[in-house]
Amino acid sequence: MPVKHSQHLLREAAGTFLAVHAGSEIAVGGLLVSTVAVAAGWGLRNRMPGWAAASLRVAGLVSAIVVLACQARGAGWLTGVDRSVTMWLADHRNPTVDALALTVTNGFGPIVTTGLTAAFGLLVGMRSRSILNGLVIVCTVGGASLLCWLIKLVVERPRPPLLIQVTPETDFSFPSGHVTGAAALFGILAVIVGMVGSRLATLVIGAVGVLTVSAVALSRLYLGVHWLTDVLASVLLAAVVLMFAAALLPTMRVLPSALSPANNAAEKPY
């Protein structure tokens, strides 16, 4: 009996090892394929039809989100990295950084992001004399947030333990709504400015967006309310929505000349 019991335990251990090992290989392979698809779609954008290059990039981003979602739902290999990052941050907290992280995360919560989206949408709509321009911003951020909520319901990933959370949150964790909203908002602003504004303005709004989204993501990790893969998936999700928005903007002709400084100058009476 002891020998049979030992053999049974050995088989279970071997099965667990193979399952984890296979899961890690699938995850790494999936992320590698995703990276290659995105890189190919970007690098070959001038050598293939625009829709084909965009499709490659979207497929790569979506597949990466699927890999992260499967890992999050099934407590896969990547979740070990999540735990390590979360525990390291929890062990290196101090009151000053706590207050700063709370300020950042509250500054880009759902209510504030909704208000900023409405304000920017109204501003762009009035500036361009077209309600469609404002709706592009609202629909982009709203669509990204809706997809984020639906993915949360599908993946059903628990938050980090309440004991390590600075501000308690108990709803589903994957992906992060804060990061998704911030990335979608600043992303669509950068896309619009890039289409009709100067290069300097595009660089400025892009830099502000990167810094803001990074700060929000770090604050969510630091406060112990999200895992690393949550915020990574949020950025990828926002990128997918932004690619669709960027593709639709020229087709919908919702960027009239009223947004262009050069054309505005041409309209002034002399």
Side-chain angles (χ1 to χ4, degrees):
M1 290 296 293
V3 174
K4 291 183 178 180
H5 183 65
S6 298
Q7 290 176 343
H8 177 69
L9 291 178
L10 183 61
R11 283 195 298 270
E12 283 189 346
T16 301
F17 173 80
L18 290 174
V20 172
H21 186 62
S24 65
E25 288 185 342
I26 292 173
V28 172
L31 293 177
L32 180 60
V33 170
S34 301
T35 302
V36 171
V38 173
W42 180 259
L44 300 176
R45 64 189 184 281
N46 295 325
R47 300 183 181 180
M48 58 172 39
W51 64 266
S55 297
L56 268 178
R57 295 195 294 271
V58 169
L61 292 172
V62 171
S63 62
I65 295 172
V66 171
V67 169
L68 293 177
C70 291
Q71 287 285 301
R73 182 175 175 83
W77 168 70
L78 287 177
T79 59
V81 180
D82 282 335
R83 287 189 291 270
S84 298
V85 171
T86 299
M87 295 310 299
W88 186 89
L89 290 172
D91 291 338
H92 292 80
R93 289 182 181 141
N94 67 71
T96 302
V97 182
D98 288 357
L100 179 61
L102 284 170
T103 300
V104 172
T105 202
N106 291 332
F108 285 92
I111 296 177
V112 176
T113 300
T114 300
L116 288 175
T117 300
F120 281 123
L122 180 62
L123 177 63
V124 170
M126 293 177 61
R127 181 78 172 83
S128 62
R129 308 185 196 124
S130 171
I131 191 173
L132 287 179
N133 293 327
L135 287 177
V136 167
I137 295 178
V138 173
C139 291
T140 299
V141 180
S145 299
L146 177 60
L147 286 174
C148 177
W149 176 71
L150 291 175
I151 294 173
K152 282 178 181 286
L153 296 181
V154 172
V155 177
E156 296 183 331
R157 186 186 201 181
R159 297 268 182 176
L162 284 172
L163 289 175
I164 64 172
Q165 293 186 27
V166 175
T167 174
E169 296 189 23
T170 57
D171 59 327
F172 294 131
S173 181
F174 183 97
S176 167
H178 284 66
V179 178
T180 300
L185 175 58
F186 282 95
I188 191 60
L189 289 176
V191 168
I192 291 178
V193 172
M195 287 182 171
V196 299
S198 65
R199 186 171 184 178
L200 177 60
T202 304
L203 290 175
V204 169
I205 191 65
V208 171
V210 169
L211 291 175
T212 301
V213 173
S214 298
V216 174
L218 287 173
S219 73
R220 303 302 284 168
L221 292 173
Y222 178 86
L223 295 172
V225 294
H226 274 296
W227 306 101
L228 177 61
T229 47
D230 296 343
V231 299
L232 292 177
S234 301
V235 174
L236 296 177
L237 175 61
V240 171
V241 176
L242 288 170
M243 290 191 66
F244 277 104
L248 288 174
L249 282 173
T251 304
M252 295 170 62
R253 299 184 181 277
V254 294
L255 290 175
S257 58
L259 273 174
S260 173
N263 289 326
N264 282 339
E267 291 178 2
K268 293 180 180 179
Y270 290 95

